[in-house]
Amino acid sequence: MSVTRRQILAGLAGVSVLGLGAGGARYWLGRPEEAKTHDYELIAAPLDVELVPGRKTSVWAYGGQAPGLELRARQGDWLRVRFVNRLPEPSTIHWHGIRLPLEMDGVPYLSQLPVLPGESFDYRFRVPDAGSFWYHPHTASGEQLGRGLVGPLIVEEREPTGFRHERTLSLKSWHVDGQGVFGEFSVLREAARGGTPGRLSTVNGQASPTLELPAGQVVRLRILNLDNTLTYRLNLPGAEARVYALDGNPVAPRPLGREYLLGPGMRIELGLRVPALGTALPLRNGPLRLATLKSVDSGEAAADWPAALPANPVPEPDLAAATSLGFNFEWVGALSGNMEQGGAFKFWQINGQAWDINDKRCAERPIATLQQGRSYIFELRNVSQYLHPIHLHGMAFKVLDSNRRKIDPYFTDTYLLGRNETARIALVADNPGVWMFHCHVIDHMETGLMAAIEVA
């Protein structure tokens, strides 16, 4: 089926063309006057920021900030975001980890048309699950995410959780040099390996910031990996920290341990008992300090550990009746046969099929078709020496087991598949549509490691 701008319902229903107006573009994010039609107006536009001290970098920002400002909603409520494109090229917004209808998923030529410069698009969907999620484009992902188009989406529980304090930490490395000038977002030799890393690591857009936390309190730290490539070896030496949720889904609280591998697109929520007044704790990626957490006077009595977070209403797969499917994630190292005509590089494949990032009809050839309402077990096999954070749109899945590590089963939307690892995940195919299934190392995704899965 050929796709045109007139054939996508979401594109026709959601897109409108906007002028700048007398006051020009507004680079902000907030509750607009038009509250009857949308909750947030989210403008994507170029912005000069200081990533390197004393130097200006022209990033692409959501709401006048890179990473983008924090969107919030309450579990079970509608979220209505008017996306305004002030960029020099088309874009969309994908809501990573949110179980929503296909027409709101932000995948160009599948769930909607690209939003052209000067256009807007209204995203409207309920948020069924509480937790830490995020948003980003699904067009020209390497460059658009690389330039800063990423942001946190926090869905609050309907009832109090016991945490009186919380902090969101958005992790991102930037492909800039010492002068703050962007370099290449994708280097071919790196795309065929672990991905092209950035050179400057930041937390909430700042390099090595000091973040103040209330002494004696248990603070909910929402840590989001919004990076194109980097898997963080998160650790908090000397801290008393417990894991409360992974990728938006609660787990039984447990100690953080020595470190946690947080791949691109993944999130972790920690309870951190903030130490005595004046104490400083390092938040690190392996041996490298990302930020300093400094305790300041809170004026409050010391807090105890909150209870476990309430579970999200994710359907439990029926393992006894589940159908099993296998997916091999492989390095192929092949080139397109028409590079002179703009063909894509194809270094990676799933079950022998490499996604062509330039082919708008790839989603018409799903790698698997699932029957709506049935349970499935996916065996994910990494036949390579590199890490692959495997993300599924539209549905959550339960991680069952692995041949490389002990797994306490938990629900997620992104699983970090290790080198030569085989893991099993299970899900209920409860959301009809054609959903992207891909590695969230953007280099890998754009050079073949993506597929479509249909639920019908």
Side-chain angles (χ1 to χ4, degrees), residues 80-407:
R80 304 173 303 168
V81 179
R82 174 161 292 172
F83 169 54
V84 181
N85 186 0
R86 303 293 189 203
L87 302 169
E89 64 186 51
S91 192
T92 64
I93 298 180
H94 168 61
W95 309 92
H96 185 113
I98 301 293
R99 298 185 293 133
L100 40 56
L102 179 64
E103 60 268 22
M104 294 290 109
D105 197 43
V107 178
Y109 303 105
L110 174 61
S111 56
Q112 69 172 97
L113 293 166
V115 182
L116 301 180
E119 288 184 344
S120 72
F121 185 91
D122 285 351
Y123 291 96
R124 305 182 188 95
F125 50 88
R126 286 190 186 274
V127 285
D129 305 317
S132 300
F133 306 95
W134 64 296
Y135 59 95
H136 62 82
H138 233 279
T139 55
S141 298
E143 180 173 3
Q144 292 196 10
L145 275 72
R147 288 190 179 274
L149 291 178
V150 296
L153 168 58
I154 305 303
V155 181
E156 301 169 355
E157 291 82 1
R158 296 204 66 83
E159 303 296 335
T161 63
F163 285 100
R164 298 202 299 264
H165 303 273
E166 66 173 60
R167 194 73 177 264
T168 302
L169 306 182
S170 295
L171 310 183
K172 177 172 172 54
S173 66
W174 299 82
H175 297 77
V176 296
D177 61 18
Q179 305 302 308
V181 177
F182 278 116
E184 293 183 81
F185 297 103
S186 180
V187 177
L188 293 181
R189 67 177 178 275
E190 300 295 341
R193 298 173 181 173
T196 307
R199 298 177 60 184
L200 176 67
S201 290
T202 62
V203 178
N204 296 343
Q206 294 184 302
S208 303
T210 295
L211 308 174
E212 295 184 344
L213 301 176
Q217 302 303 302
V218 177
V219 175
R220 184 177 185 172
L221 292 182
R222 301 177 181 266
I223 304 177
L224 294 78
N225 183 351
L226 310 187
D227 202 77
N228 283 30
T229 300
L230 186 63
T231 291
Y232 290 86
R233 294 167 48 207
L234 282 182
N235 60 93
L236 274 163
E240 194 176 353
R242 297 181 184 178
V243 179
Y244 273 78
L246 298 172
D247 305 317
N249 287 281
V251 297
R254 63 174 185 263
L256 173 61
R258 186 171 63 89
E259 66 179 15
Y260 185 84
L261 269 63
L262 195 71
M266 297 169 64
R267 298 84 66 205
I268 187 171
E269 295 181 32
L270 303 177
L272 172 68
R273 185 184 291 281
V274 183
L277 179 66
T279 304
L281 295 171
L283 173 65
R284 302 193 313 192
N285 172 27
L288 305 176
R289 186 185 293 254
L290 297 171
T292 299
L293 309 181
K294 181 181 179 181
S295 57
V296 298
D297 186 24
S298 68
E300 302 177 65
D304 202 356
W305 293 102
L309 298 171
N312 284 324
V314 180
E316 187 72 38
D318 182 349
L319 301 183
T323 300
S324 294
L325 300 172
F327 298 93
N328 292 336
F329 300 85
E330 306 163 303
W331 183 85
V332 60
L335 301 181
S336 171
N338 61 334
M339 295 306 298
E340 295 79 6
Q341 288 76 43
F345 289 93
K346 298 179 181 178
F347 298 143
W348 301 94
Q349 61 185 14
I350 303 176
N351 287 359
Q353 300 180 38
W355 185 273
D356 186 341
I357 199 68
N358 295 327
D359 185 353
K360 297 178 178 63
R361 301 180 64 177
C362 259
E364 298 176 15
R365 302 182 291 274
I367 200 169
T369 298
L370 313 183
Q371 183 178 335
Q372 186 177 350
R374 292 198 60 180
S375 294
Y376 291 85
I377 294 174
F378 290 2
E379 184 176 271
L380 312 180
R381 185 167 176 246
N382 182 1
V383 193
S384 82
Q385 295 297 311
Y386 300 102
L387 301 176
H388 298 305
I390 303 302
H391 173 53
L392 176 63
H393 290 211
M395 292 170 283
F397 56 82
K398 191 171 194 176
V399 183
L400 300 177
D401 51 45
S402 163
N403 68 338
R404 301 298 297 270
R405 47 185 154 154
K406 182 181 182 299
I407 298 289

Side-chain angles (χ1 to χ4, degrees), residues 22-34:
R26 295 174 294 166
Y27 301 144
W28 60 282
L29 168 69
R31 296 283 175 178
E33 294 178 0
E34 304 89 344

